[in-house]
Amino acid sequence: MNELRVRKIPQRKCVTCQKMLSKKEMVRVVRTPEGTVELDPTGKKNGRGAYLCGRWEGFQQAKKTRVLERALKQPITPEMYEQLESQFAQIRAKYEEVPCEKFGDA
Ligand SMILES: [Zn+2]
């Protein structure tokens, strides 16, 4: 009976390493209704979202491969990337512990 009450933790896939992680271990990137792309540390902003596992290397790779643009179906200007990068830099310490299959040595 008890197993019925066990809630599955919602998981999301990292767009760079394809790893499935719980939402709170990930960084959400959101395409706002205004057509900008920003980080959504609270996970509550409206709009189409994509998830990154939070590794700095993963973000850099996403930028290089434009995988976020494909996931969000939205062109990301260099200015938006600059803003994302500075937002990401502020929170990256929180995610350094999260292993990433592609970039982690964990
Ligand atoms: Zn990843």
Side-chain angles (χ1 to χ4, degrees):
M1 287 300 176
N2 271 341
E3 55 264 31
L4 288 176
R5 267 186 250 135
V6 176
R7 286 254 176 87
K8 271 219 173 144
I9 298 163
Q11 292 209 315
R12 293 294 180 272
K13 193 156 76 173
C14 171
V15 293
T16 53
C17 70
Q18 312 292 305
K19 188 184 169 73
M20 300 289 293
L21 286 167
S22 74
K23 282 168 82 173
K24 57 170 208 274
E25 292 176 294
M26 309 192 82
V27 183
R28 184 168 187 255
V29 184
V30 72
R31 180 184 84 185
T32 68
E34 291 77 38
T36 62
V37 174
E38 38 192 78
L39 289 196
D40 176 20
T42 63
K44 293 192 167 75
K45 283 184 188 165
N46 281 328
R48 188 187 181 90
Y51 290 84
L52 289 167
C53 64
R55 300 287 298 214
W56 184 252
E57 297 91 332
F59 176 77
Q60 293 302 327
Q61 163 130 343
K63 186 174 156 187
K64 207 160 60 189
T65 59
R66 310 206 149 245
V67 68
L68 278 175
E69 296 175 65
R70 283 201 298 276
L72 297 171
K73 303 191 194 312
Q74 158 84 32
I76 304 177
T77 63
E79 290 76 24
M80 286 187 218
Y81 271 121
E82 230 166 82
Q83 177 140 29
L84 286 175
E85 198 166 292
S86 71
Q87 287 181 303
F88 202 96
Q90 287 170 36
I91 58 167
R92 64 183 282 201
K94 221 173 103 184
Y95 298 95
E96 306 251 279
E97 301 297 304
V98 178
C100 175
E101 305 220 317
K102 195 156 181 164
F103 306 104
D105 31 25

